[in-house]
Amino acid sequence: MYEKIILALSLEHGFAEQAIETAQRLGSKSAEVIAVHVYEPPSGSVSAYLDDDLVQKAYNDAKRMLTARVNGVANVTPVILKGHSSRTITEYATKIGADAIIVGSHKPGLRDYFLGTTAARIVRQASCAVIVLR
């Protein structure tokens, strides 16, 4: 049984419910579950054309959506991080001493075999167990 589990949640995909159920099955009764979403700020060249208030609004909206996804679920804490998805999640997992990461993955296409998906990168980079949901 795992004691500290990260749920890597994309706000664009509907894996939250399945991820929470999986964490509850795999975690101990006292397990700490952290629902993480990584907000990727606009790149430097794009951000030059965006209003700072608009960028902040997008970040606040992501934070609100993440909180709403886990609202009312016992022992699940929402955390929003900034950075590159896979790298930020694996670094955060190491930093907090996570036992496992639960991440969703869409059905891979040809492009994913060449570039790699977020889930595939997490599997390769994580220093803890990774459970991939489909």
Side-chain angles (χ1 to χ4, degrees), residues 16-118:
E17 190 174 309
Q18 184 182 4
I20 291 168
E21 289 172 7
T22 301
Q24 290 171 338
R25 283 194 313 267
L26 297 176
S28 69
K29 290 186 188 238
S30 62
E32 180 183 0
V33 180
I34 303 129
V36 171
H37 172 73
V38 179
Y39 173 79
E40 294 190 44
S43 67
S45 59
V46 172
S47 65
Y49 296 99
L50 297 175
D51 180 21
D52 289 340
D53 291 338
L54 182 65
V55 174
Q56 185 62 44
K57 181 184 179 317
Y59 174 80
N60 292 341
D61 287 348
K63 192 172 185 177
R64 180 185 48 76
M65 289 171 55
L66 176 63
T67 301
R69 285 237 173 132
V70 298
N71 189 30
V73 180
N75 301 326
V76 177
T77 305
V79 173
I80 190 159
L81 304 170
K82 289 183 180 179
H84 179 270
S85 295
S86 60
R87 185 176 331 114
T88 301
I89 290 167
T90 55
E91 287 173 357
Y92 183 70
T94 300
K95 177 182 172 184
I96 67 166
D99 301 307
I101 300 170
I102 298 174
V103 61
S105 180
H106 59 82
K107 200 172 204 176
L110 184 59
R111 181 175 153 233
D112 296 321
Y113 289 111
F114 293 116
L115 299 177
T117 63
T118 299

